[in-house]
Amino acid sequence: MPDCYLNGEFIALECARVSVLDRGFIFGDGVYEVIPVFNGRTFRLDQHLARLRQSLEAIRIPQPLCECDWAGLLNTLVERNGGGDQSLYVQVTRGAAKRDHVLPEPITPTVFAMSTCLDPKRGHAPVSAITCDDIRWHYCHIKAIDLLANVMLRQRAADGGAYEAILLRDGRLTEGAASNVFIAAGGIVKTPPKSHALLPGITRDVLVELLPAAGIPCVETEVPRAELMGAEEIWLTSSVREILPVTVLDGHPVGSGEPGPLWTRVFELYERFKAGQALRDAPP
Ligand code: PDD
């Protein structure tokens, strides 16, 4: 039975209970993080914790733990769940209070974390995607637990036999329903700039650092629909799926219809970066 963390205690996941008055349950009033673990070590933990802090600040939930306590808690959770490769899901909601839209007097936030399996096929399998209008709210930079629009968009993709919905707002690429998006054409890689229209993805940031260092031009710029549709390569990035090549978009092949040569290079760079981090983090 896997262990989870709930409000100060490590307990079996099946035994974890929260109040039905929790504002996460009633209003979707909370934020979350998904943190990958490779060989028993959290990947880019500082960056994930910084984004969690920013999400909490944005919705005015007091920080329930300092970064050092978060790190201790999550490392304990990894150990209690057997180390190796995992994915940590962390959720903080405002807490339980009488139902009222207006924020209650300060209450104790609900803090929850669990470990799930990482998909062993992450990064490897080519996928298909569809394009959809981005019907989400205007604060997509906050990693909010209220994911109804993302759920419906992802389901629309699944209904059509596709893996991901790639979203466009006012004719411009924003991101995927659960991923960031990169395109490549003529040897140049592009991804939309950070804004309130998309989540500042941790994997996205790794690529934005790694590509120029390897001599691959990478530009953070608006991507109009025509450029997306004409791209030679399209990649999805996320902590749990890493870098997935999209080979079919709206039923048409992307480029050659096979994972492209730049994706192969970038995936290798990413794997090397991960291995390098594991070495840096290894105990002496
Ligand atoms: N989602 N954009 C959205 C809307 C996402 O939901 C995610 C990841 C990303 C990629 O961010 P990162 O590289 O930090 O994982 C971008 C997670 C994995 C999820 O909701 O399960």
Side-chain angles (χ1 to χ4, degrees):
M1 208 183 290
D3 267 0
C4 69
Y5 173 92
L6 181 63
N7 297 331
E9 275 187 298
F10 290 95
I11 50 173
L13 185 59
E14 284 80 351
C15 301
R17 299 281 179 275
V18 292
S19 164
V20 291
L21 288 180
D22 194 283
R23 288 178 62 101
F25 181 60
I26 297 283
F27 289 119
D29 184 354
V31 296
Y32 77 107
E33 272 302 318
V34 179
I35 306 166
V37 174
F38 304 115
N39 285 324
R41 289 175 203 286
T42 48
F43 182 67
R44 291 236 135 180
L45 181 62
D46 292 350
Q47 289 82 351
H48 280 281
L49 291 180
R51 187 172 65 185
L52 178 62
R53 190 179 60 245
Q54 284 154 15
S55 294
L56 287 164
E57 270 166 22
I59 67 163
R60 296 159 64 177
I61 292 183
Q63 305 294 326
L65 296 170
C66 69
E67 308 221 336
C68 182
D69 289 344
W70 273 121
L73 181 170
L74 295 173
N75 287 327
T76 305
L77 190 63
V78 170
E79 275 167 33
R80 292 178 77 111
N81 285 288
D85 292 353
Q86 309 176 17
S87 165
L88 300 179
Y89 177 85
V90 178
Q91 173 169 315
V92 182
T93 70
R94 199 174 305 277
K98 178 172 163 288
R99 184 180 183 278
D100 184 349
H101 290 68
V102 175
L103 300 189
E105 289 302 311
I107 49 173
T108 308
T110 301
V111 179
F112 172 65
M114 67 176 169
S115 162
T116 57
C117 293
L118 261 182
D119 183 347
K121 288 214 195 84
R122 62 191 181 276
H124 297 290
V127 296
S128 62
I130 58 167
T131 54
C132 290
D133 266 348
D134 194 340
I135 55 169
R136 302 173 303 160
W137 72 332
H138 290 272
Y139 294 105
C140 296
H141 61 299
I142 302 171
K143 203 160 170 61
I145 58 171
D146 181 351
L147 290 174
L148 188 54
N150 306 59
V151 166
M152 298 314 291
L153 288 161
R154 192 93 197 275
Q155 186 56 41
R156 204 184 295 169
D159 289 343
Y163 171 78
E164 179 62 302
I166 293 183
L167 310 179
L168 293 124
R169 203 187 280 268
D170 301 328
R172 294 199 176 95
L173 170 65
T174 55
E175 60 180 337
S179 55
N180 291 114
V181 180
F182 287 73
I183 66 159
I188 298 175
V189 176
K190 293 184 181 176
T191 195
K194 287 184 190 174
S195 73
H196 287 199
L198 54 102
L199 186 78
I202 306 298
T203 322
R204 171 197 182 280
D205 284 354
V206 173
L207 258 59
V208 168
E209 273 172 48
L210 282 183
L211 268 61
I216 304 169
C218 178
V219 194
E220 295 175 78
T221 183
E222 302 290 356
V223 177
R225 171 182 280 277
E227 262 193 73
L228 172 71
M229 301 313 289
E232 291 160 16
E233 298 190 29
I234 301 176
W235 317 324
L236 307 174
T237 63
S238 92
S239 293
V240 286
R241 306 287 173 162
E242 305 192 323
I243 313 166
L244 287 178
V246 177
T247 50
V248 178
L249 183 62
D250 288 341
H252 303 290
V254 175
S256 65
E258 298 289 329
L262 264 178
W263 172 79
T264 309
R265 240 183 108 190
V266 170
F267 189 66
E268 274 169 23
L269 284 172
Y270 186 74
E271 288 293 295
R272 240 183 285 146
F273 180 80
K274 273 171 32 187
Q277 176 185 282
L279 279 179
R280 281 192 300 279
D281 289 354

